[in-house]
Amino acid sequence: MTALPPLPPPQAVDVPTTAERTLASGLRIIAAQRRGVARTELRVSLPIAHNGRSSDHAALTLLGRTLLSGTVRRSATEIADGLRGMGAQLTASSDMEQLRLSGGVLTRDLRPFLELAADVAGSPAFPDRNVTLERARTAQEVQMARRRPQVAGTAVLIGRLYGRHPYGRVLPDAAAVAGVRASTVRRLHARAVGARGGTVVVVGSGTARATLDAADEAFRSLPVPEGAGHFGPPTSAPAPGITVLDRPGAVQTVLLLGGPVAPLGHPDDAAVQVAAAVLGGHTSARLGANLRTRHGFAYFMECSIQRRRLASQVVIAAGVSTSVTARALVELRYELARLGTEPVPPAELEAARRHVCGRLSLAVQTRAGLANQLAGLDAAGLDAATLPRLATAVASTTAEDVLVAARRYFAPRRLVTVLVGDATVIRPALDGLDDVEVLTSV
Amino acid sequence: MAGRRRVPPPTFALDRFTLANGLRVVLAPDRSAPAVSVVVSYDVGFRSEPEGRTGFAHLFEHLMFDGSVSLPRLEHVRLVESTGGSFNASTRPDCTIFVDTLPSNGLELALFLQADGMRGPRLDEEALRNQVAVVKEEIRGNVLNTPYGGFPWMQLPALLFDTFPNAHNGYGGFEHLEAATLEDAAEFFDRYYTPANATLAAVGDFELDDARRLVEQHFGGVAGRPPPARPSWSEPVPAGERRGVHRDAVATMPAVAIGYRVPDPSADTEAYLATAVACAILTDGESARLHRRLVRSDQTAYRVSGRVGMFETFDSRDPTFLQIVVHYDDPAALDDILSSIDDEIDRLANEVPASELHDTVVALTSDYLAALDGFPARASLLAVFEQQRGDAGCVSGIVAATARVAEEDVRAAVSSWLVPGRRAVLTVEPGGRRS
C-alpha cells in the first residue's frame, strides 16, 4: 500500500516564443512552433465592417457557411478534393462581426494549404447554385438547433443579456436564411471582409520563422475592403426575474444563468476566473458537489466564461430532472449568493487557484489548443505573454478579491435566469421564488 | 495538388512490460509539452453486463472512482482538478477507460489515484443511489430530451444483432439501473477489475526510468486475481435486410441509419481497414461520394455521415459494424435515398480511382494524427491497442497498414460486406412539432 503523494506544485505556463509580423494590408500574422506529430494548425479571423443591421444577420451567417463553395479560380469540388489530398481540414464560420477559418494540415503541404485558405478567404465566388443549396441546409439546421434545449435556452439568455445589440442575436431566423440571395452575400463580402484588422495564427511542427514566412507569402495579397467601421460595445442591463421557455412534455429542465463579466486583461479578470473555478463547471467544484454529488439532481453542469470581441459573459448551465427544477434553482442561487457573502476557505481557494493555473498550462499543450489561445488573446488585443501574467495574478488572488468579484459579477440578481422545460409542471413552484415570464417559442 | 506520397507513420518510443500481478503497462514519453496523461483501460464493457442489468458497466464506471480504498467520495476528481487537470471516464462495448490528464509534475499523483481505484471502490449505498440518479439524469439529458439523442448507437445494434451482449443498449433501462445492488457491484469489480484484466498507459513529459519506478511502486502491490475468461461474442451476419423504426419524441425531421457488419477488427485488420477506407470514400467530408450524390446532386438529404465502429474505429472487438447516417426533410424520399446509396456502393465495388483512394488514405491518416496530438487520446489508444491486439505499437502500424490498402481490397470489402441483403435500416420517425 502506498501513501497519497503530495499535491504537485503549480508549473509555469509554457508558451513558446511567437514570431509576428503586420503586413502592409493591416493583416497580422502570429506563428509559433509546437513539436510533435507533423501537422500545422491555422486560425484566421477577419473583421466584418458592418453596422450590425439585423436584416443582414441571415446573410452574414451564410457568408461563412458558403465560403468554401467556390472561388474565382476553384470550384467547390476542387476545394474539397484539394483539402482531402493534403490531409487538411478547413471550416469557415461567420457572425455579425467576424469571419473565421479554422483548420489544420500535414506540415509537408503547409504552403499549398495556406494558399488555398487565402484564396477562399479573399476571393470567394459564392456561386448562385451553391448558395441556394446551402441556404436550404442551413435553414434546416437552424430549425433543428432550436429543438435542442440548451441552444434554444442560450438564444433566449443572450437575447435578454444584450437586448437589441447585435450580440443579442444568436440564431438567425430560418425563413430569412432560406431567402438569402447569393448576390447579397457577394456584396457583403466584397464591401466588408478583408485584411485590415484581421489576424492569421499558425502553429506548426516547423520553426516559427518558417511558418510565419509561409503565411506571409500566402496571405500577402488578401484584399483590403472599402468598408470601414463597426458597431460599438453593448450596454448590458440584465433583466431580473425568471424566463421559462416552455417545452411541453420535457423530462428534464435546462437551467441557464448568465451575466456580463470583466474581459480578458481587465484587473478583475483573475478574481473572476478564480470565483468561477470555486463555483465551477468541473465535477469537484461547488455546483458539482451540491447538484451532482450531494443531491443527484444533475449529471451535466458547466460554468464557462465566453469571450466576444467587445464583451465577456459568464454562463452557468445544468440539466436537472423536471420534478426538482425549483429545488435545483434554489441550490444554484444559494451557491451564487454564498460566493459573495462568505470568504472561500483557504484550502478551497488554493485548489481553485491551482485549477485555473494548471488549466492554462494544459490549454496550450496541443498545437490546436495553443492556436486557439493565441487567437483568443489577439482578439482581445493581448499577446502570448498575457498567459503567464494571468497565472501570476491568479496565484496571488485573495479570498477578499473573490468576494468582491462574486458580488460584482455573480450575484443572483445580476444574472439573467432562463429555464427550458415543461412550464405547466415547473411553474407553480417557481412562482414563490421570483417573477416568472413564460415564452412559448424562441 | 499534392503528389502521390505516403504519410510517414508517427514514431513514438514505447516501453512495454507486465507487472507480476498481470497488469500490462505502456509508457510513451513525449517531452514536447509539460503535461501527462495516465489511462487505465479495463477489458470490460456493455457486452459483459448480465441480462437484467443493462447499463451496469456504465453505472459501475461512475462508481469506480466515487471513493476508493483510501479516498473518500469525490476525492480523486478533486485532487486532479486541483492541479488544473481533468478526470474522464468512458464505457464502450469492450472496454471501460479512465483518463487522468495533469501538468507533468502530477505523474505520481495520477498513478497513485489510478492504483487506489484498482485496489477497490468504496462501495456504499449512498454512493450507489446517488450515481443511479446521476446516470438517469445523464440519459434524460443526452437521450430523452434531445433530438436524435443516442441515435443510432443505442438503437441500431438491436436491429443488426440477435444476441443479448451485442444487441442491447449500453445506457440501459431505468428499471435495470434502479435494481442494481452493492452485491452486483462487488461481484462485477471482483470479476472484471483485476490487474490482469487491465492495461495502463502513460504519455507525456517524464523520464522513462522515473515512470517505470513509480508504476512499480504504486501498482506492484495491487493484489493479483485471475482475469475473467472472455467469451466469443461472435454471431452470424443477418441473412436478410432488416428494417426498423425508432420514434423520437423531440426530433422534427426524419433520419435514417444504415448498419452493415464488417470484418473482425483484430483478426482481419487488413480487411477491416479496407472497410474503413470505403466508409471514408462514401461519407467523409464534402468530397465523399454520398455527400456529392445525396446532398449536392439528388438534393434529397442535407447531411450525411458515416463511421466504422460504434463510437470510434479502434475501440471494439468483433463483431462490430459500419454505420451511415442520413438526415433529410421529406419522409417520402427514403426509397430514393436508399437506392442512391446502393447505386454508389455498386459503383465503388466496380472501380476505385487511384487518386481518390490515395487522397482518402491521406485524409484518414491526417485525421488520425490530429487526434493523436493530444496526450489523453494517444494514451487511450495505446492502452486499447495493447489490450485488444496485444501490441500498443499498432498505434504506428495502423498508419502503414492503411497506406497498403489497395483498390482490390476496397472493392472486395464493399462487395462482401456492404450488401443490401445483410444490412439493417433504422428510420427515425419524428414526433416533435416544427417551430
Side-chain angles (χ1 to χ4, degrees):
Chain A
M1 185 78 188
T2 57
L4 176 66
L7 211 57
Q11 282 189 169
V13 180
D14 168 43
V15 185
T17 311
T18 57
E20 304 189 14
R21 188 176 296 158
T22 302
L23 309 184
S25 61
L27 185 73
R28 269 165 60 72
I29 300 179
I30 302 170
Q33 180 176 31
R34 197 50 119 187
R35 291 194 180 83
V37 298
R39 279 180 46 96
T40 299
E41 290 288 324
L42 170 73
R43 304 288 182 272
V44 180
S45 167
L46 303 177
I48 294 178
H50 190 268
N51 63 8
R53 196 171 51 242
S54 64
S55 55
D56 282 336
H57 188 199
L60 285 173
T61 303
L62 266 183
L63 193 152
R65 297 188 56 115
T66 52
L67 194 77
L68 272 66
S69 68
T71 71
V72 177
R73 294 199 294 282
R74 290 175 165 96
S75 70
T77 305
E78 283 166 343
I79 292 170
D81 290 356
L83 290 168
R84 184 171 65 175
M86 292 185 269
Q89 304 77 34
L90 186 65
T91 59
S93 63
S94 55
D95 55 23
M96 301 293 281
E97 67 177 354
Q98 54 186 343
L99 169 66
R100 286 172 300 271
L101 283 101
S102 175
V105 67
L106 294 168
T107 299
R108 64 180 192 179
D109 285 325
L110 178 60
R111 281 174 186 272
F113 171 67
L114 292 173
E115 191 274 319
L116 190 154
D119 188 33
V120 298
S123 319
F126 303 109
D128 289 346
R129 181 181 181 279
N130 294 346
V131 173
T132 305
L133 180 65
E134 195 56 47
R135 71 185 187 189
R137 292 178 74 200
T138 304
Q140 276 161 326
E141 292 195 356
V142 168
Q143 283 192 39
M144 202 155 99
R146 285 182 197 279
R147 292 295 302 165
R148 302 177 66 86
Q150 205 181 340
V151 174
T154 302
V156 174
L157 179 87
I158 298 298
R160 286 284 186 276
L161 210 51
Y162 296 113
R164 301 176 67 82
H165 186 273
Y167 281 178
R169 293 188 291 272
V170 177
L171 290 172
D173 177 62
V177 169
V180 170
R181 298 149 68 101
S183 57
T184 308
V185 182
R186 282 196 288 271
R187 181 173 48 77
L188 282 166
H189 182 274
R191 204 171 57 194
V193 182
R196 191 191 303 125
T199 306
V200 174
V201 175
V202 249
V203 179
S205 51
T207 66
R209 183 56 194 264
T211 307
L212 180 78
D213 287 343
D216 180 340
E217 186 185 320
F219 283 92
R220 192 177 299 159
S221 50
L222 194 70
V224 178
E226 60 192 65
H230 198 273
F231 53 80
T235 48
S236 169
I242 298 170
T243 303
V244 174
L245 178 58
D246 190 20
R247 200 171 148 87
V251 294
Q252 189 178 72
T253 303
V254 174
L255 312 179
L256 292 151
L257 284 82
V261 294
L264 264 178
H266 186 281
D268 287 350
D269 182 38
V272 165
Q273 297 213 32
V274 175
V278 171
L279 194 63
H282 53 291
T283 313
S284 68
R286 287 184 178 182
L287 293 181
N290 182 330
L291 295 178
R292 179 170 166 153
T293 305
R294 191 182 314 150
H295 287 109
F297 286 164
Y299 163 73
F300 141 80
M301 71 210 67
E302 66 184 19
C303 171
S304 61
I305 294 173
Q306 302 164 356
R307 310 286 186 187
R308 318 275 314 250
R309 203 172 61 82
L310 302 170
S312 291
Q313 71 228 7
V314 63
V315 175
I316 297 154
V320 304
S321 219
T322 300
S323 60
V324 298
T325 299
R327 289 176 64 197
L329 179 62
V330 168
E331 292 295 336
L332 217 162
R333 287 184 163 184
Y334 160 74
E335 295 293 356
L336 288 162
R338 178 158 79 105
L339 201 60
T341 51
E342 181 188 306
V344 180
E348 192 181 8
L349 177 65
E350 179 59 13
R353 291 190 298 222
R354 286 175 173 222
H355 174 78
V356 177
C357 291
R359 203 179 47 194
L360 284 173
S361 109
L362 290 173
V364 296
Q365 184 235 321
T366 60
R367 223 162 276 114
L370 179 59
N372 290 338
Q373 290 293 319
L374 291 174
L377 287 166
D378 185 73
L382 303 169
D383 63 14
T386 306
L387 291 181
R389 271 203 305 276
L390 176 59
T392 307
V394 165
S396 58
T397 298
T398 65
E400 179 62 23
D401 296 336
V402 174
L403 212 52
V404 170
R407 284 183 200 137
R408 195 169 286 162
Y409 302 106
F410 292 77
R413 66 178 188 83
R414 296 184 51 93
L415 301 180
V416 175
T417 303
V418 175
L419 310 186
V420 187
D422 189 334
T424 54
V425 182
I426 64 179
R427 164 113 199 215
L430 296 173
D431 269 336
L433 290 181
D434 210 334
D435 294 333
V436 178
E437 177 194 14
V438 177
L439 303 179
T440 51
S441 66
V442 181
Chain B
M1 188 71 202
R4 296 285 154 75
R5 296 160 298 153
R6 285 189 171 176
V7 181
T11 49
F12 299 122
L14 301 181
D15 185 42
R16 301 161 56 219
F17 53 97
T18 303
L19 299 186
N21 57 18
L23 176 68
R24 276 174 290 164
V25 182
V26 183
L27 301 176
D30 181 335
R31 318 306 298 258
S32 68
V36 62
S37 288
V38 173
V39 167
V40 177
S41 174
Y42 292 90
D43 199 340
V44 60
F46 308 149
R47 285 202 251 233
S48 299
E49 54 202 19
E51 293 202 41
R53 287 288 182 273
T54 57
F56 194 80
H58 172 240
L59 174 64
F60 189 80
E61 171 227 290
H62 277 243
L63 286 171
M64 188 54 195
F65 282 93
D66 196 11
S68 54
V69 163
S70 51
L71 297 173
R73 292 190 66 196
L74 208 61
E75 194 63 4
H76 180 132
V77 183
R78 196 187 66 76
L79 288 166
V80 172
E81 291 179 344
S82 296
T83 71
S86 61
F87 171 71
N88 275 310
S90 171
T91 309
R92 315 276 171 86
D94 296 307
C95 55
T96 305
I97 306 176
F98 300 89
V99 186
D100 283 305
T101 299
L102 296 88
S104 52
N105 57 2
L107 174 65
E108 181 171 11
L109 177 63
L111 292 171
F112 169 85
L113 294 171
Q114 292 270 10
D116 209 57
M118 196 177 283
R119 285 193 186 89
R122 175 178 296 214
L123 297 170
D124 66 44
E125 194 61 28
E126 183 196 334
L128 175 62
R129 288 308 133 210
N130 174 256
Q131 291 296 356
V132 168
V134 169
V135 167
K136 283 163 65 180
E137 217 44 56
E138 177 179 351
I139 296 170
R140 288 193 186 101
N142 287 352
V143 181
L144 304 175
N145 200 32
T146 197
Y148 314 104
F151 179 75
W153 75 267
M154 286 176 69
Q155 308 91 11
L156 189 58
L159 198 58
L160 191 59
F161 295 107
D162 293 320
T163 62
F164 171 81
N166 298 324
H168 79 275
N169 123 44
Y171 254 151
F174 280 12
E175 68 290 359
H176 289 178
L177 293 168
E178 282 158 2
T181 65
L182 289 177
E183 292 70 43
D184 294 334
E187 194 180 312
F188 200 77
F189 175 81
D190 193 55
R191 186 176 168 122
Y192 294 111
Y193 279 70
T194 78
N197 203 40
T199 305
L200 165 73
V203 172
D205 185 18
F206 53 76
E207 289 287 350
L208 198 51
D209 288 347
D210 292 343
R212 290 186 73 119
R213 180 177 52 76
L214 290 170
V215 166
E216 181 61 53
Q217 179 186 328
H218 290 284
F219 287 89
V222 181
R225 306 190 296 285
R230 189 160 39 75
S232 162
W233 313 120
S234 140
E235 63 172 274
V237 174
E241 183 190 73
R242 298 171 175 191
R243 295 228 179 185
V245 174
H246 164 58
R247 284 173 191 84
D248 183 327
V250 288
T252 55
M253 283 179 270
V256 61
I258 302 134
Y260 304 89
R261 291 277 299 274
V262 293
D264 184 326
S266 299
D268 198 359
T269 301
E270 285 74 18
Y272 182 74
L273 290 174
T275 319
V277 170
C279 183
I281 290 174
L282 289 169
T283 64
D284 190 11
E286 305 262 314
S287 289
R289 290 190 180 194
L290 291 181
H291 179 86
R292 288 182 190 194
R293 176 68 180 265
L294 299 175
V295 178
R296 299 186 64 86
S297 170
D298 295 356
Q299 301 191 10
T300 45
Y302 65 94
R303 195 197 291 173
V304 179
S305 62
R307 179 188 302 157
V308 177
M310 185 182 281
F311 300 112
E312 288 177 17
T313 309
F314 299 113
D315 68 355
S316 301
R317 291 198 167 88
D318 191 58
T320 184
F321 56 93
L322 180 157
Q323 59 189 33
I324 295 170
V325 177
V326 181
H327 289 264
Y328 55 104
D329 188 27
D330 176 7
L334 179 64
D335 288 344
D336 281 350
I337 289 170
L338 291 175
S339 99
S340 288
I341 290 174
D342 290 340
D343 192 36
E344 291 299 328
I345 287 176
D346 279 346
R347 285 183 53 222
L348 193 58
N350 286 318
E351 192 196 354
V352 188
S355 61
E356 190 178 16
L357 174 60
H358 171 268
D359 288 359
T360 302
V361 167
V362 169
L364 271 177
T365 307
S366 183
D367 288 349
Y368 177 77
L369 292 179
L372 283 183
D373 199 23
F375 291 171
R378 194 188 307 166
S380 302
L381 205 52
L382 287 171
V384 172
F385 276 142
E386 183 69 27
Q387 189 154 68
Q388 297 186 356
R389 294 160 186 259
D391 182 8
C394 289
V395 76
S396 306
I398 286 292
V399 173
T402 307
R404 284 195 299 272
V405 170
E407 180 191 350
E408 53 272 25
D409 303 327
V410 177
R411 290 175 49 196
V414 170
S415 33
S416 320
W417 296 90
L418 305 192
V419 181
R422 296 181 202 156
R423 71 184 172 194
V425 178
L426 179 68
T427 317
V428 170
E429 191 178 282
R433 67 189 162 86
R434 296 195 182 198
S435 50

